[in-house]
Amino acid sequence: MIGKRIEESRPLLLSEVLEVLEERDRNKEIKVFEQRFALDYLRKFSKLPLDKGRELLQELKSLGIDEWKAVKIVDILPGSQEELRTILMGDRIATDQGKLKEILELVEKYKS
């Protein structure tokens, strides 16, 4: 076990975790198979660089999206309203067509 108690809990972007693990890899600190596996996964599936991911996260939060859901949107970069609705399920934004379109346009801006 790495730690004995949780001191802070907040959602992390895949690109934030990737940065931490790449730093450990450069310093030859990764000795556990699971960390090596996670690093490989993150290199394949992290879709935005850290700076762009954080920018998009801030813009999504400014639209009133919960931080946990905003992080998922940044990590997944949904391409359709159906995908976005799945992430926002249970949120009143999920039924607002105008808001969904605005979010998708924002996501599309960061994809290119």
Side-chain angles (χ1 to χ4, degrees):
M1 181 182 243
I2 294 175
K4 299 201 183 255
R5 65 186 159 101
I6 298 172
E7 294 186 15
E8 179 184 359
S9 177
R10 70 177 184 87
L12 295 172
L13 298 170
L14 290 179
S15 53
E16 289 177 301
V17 179
L18 176 61
E19 183 178 85
V20 170
L21 288 179
E22 282 184 332
E23 178 66 27
R24 287 185 179 177
D25 190 40
R26 281 190 294 274
N27 296 332
K28 308 289 188 228
E29 294 174 8
I30 293 184
K31 297 181 179 6
V32 180
F33 169 76
E34 290 84 0
Q35 288 181 344
R36 175 80 46 214
F37 187 77
L39 178 59
D40 184 49
Y41 175 89
L42 291 166
R43 284 179 176 156
K44 289 177 186 171
F45 294 105
S46 183
K47 296 180 179 184
L48 288 178
L50 183 56
D51 57 337
K52 284 190 170 219
R54 284 183 175 156
E55 283 177 36
L56 177 55
L57 178 64
Q58 290 307 315
E59 289 194 47
L60 291 168
K61 286 171 44 179
S62 73
L63 293 175
I65 299 173
D66 167 84
E67 184 174 15
W68 291 84
K69 291 179 181 180
V71 166
K72 285 294 124 206
I73 292 170
V74 173
D75 288 343
I76 296 170
L77 296 177
S80 69
Q81 285 192 2
E82 292 76 26
E83 289 176 352
L84 184 55
R85 271 197 203 98
T86 302
I87 297 168
L88 295 172
M89 194 169 292
D91 202 319
R92 62 185 169 87
I93 294 174
T95 59
D96 184 344
Q97 295 294 328
K99 198 68 129 171
L100 291 175
K101 186 175 180 185
E102 184 179 357
I103 294 167
L104 285 173
E105 287 172 357
L106 187 59
V107 167
E108 201 57 44
K109 179 178 98 174
Y110 280 88
K111 275 185 178 180
S112 24

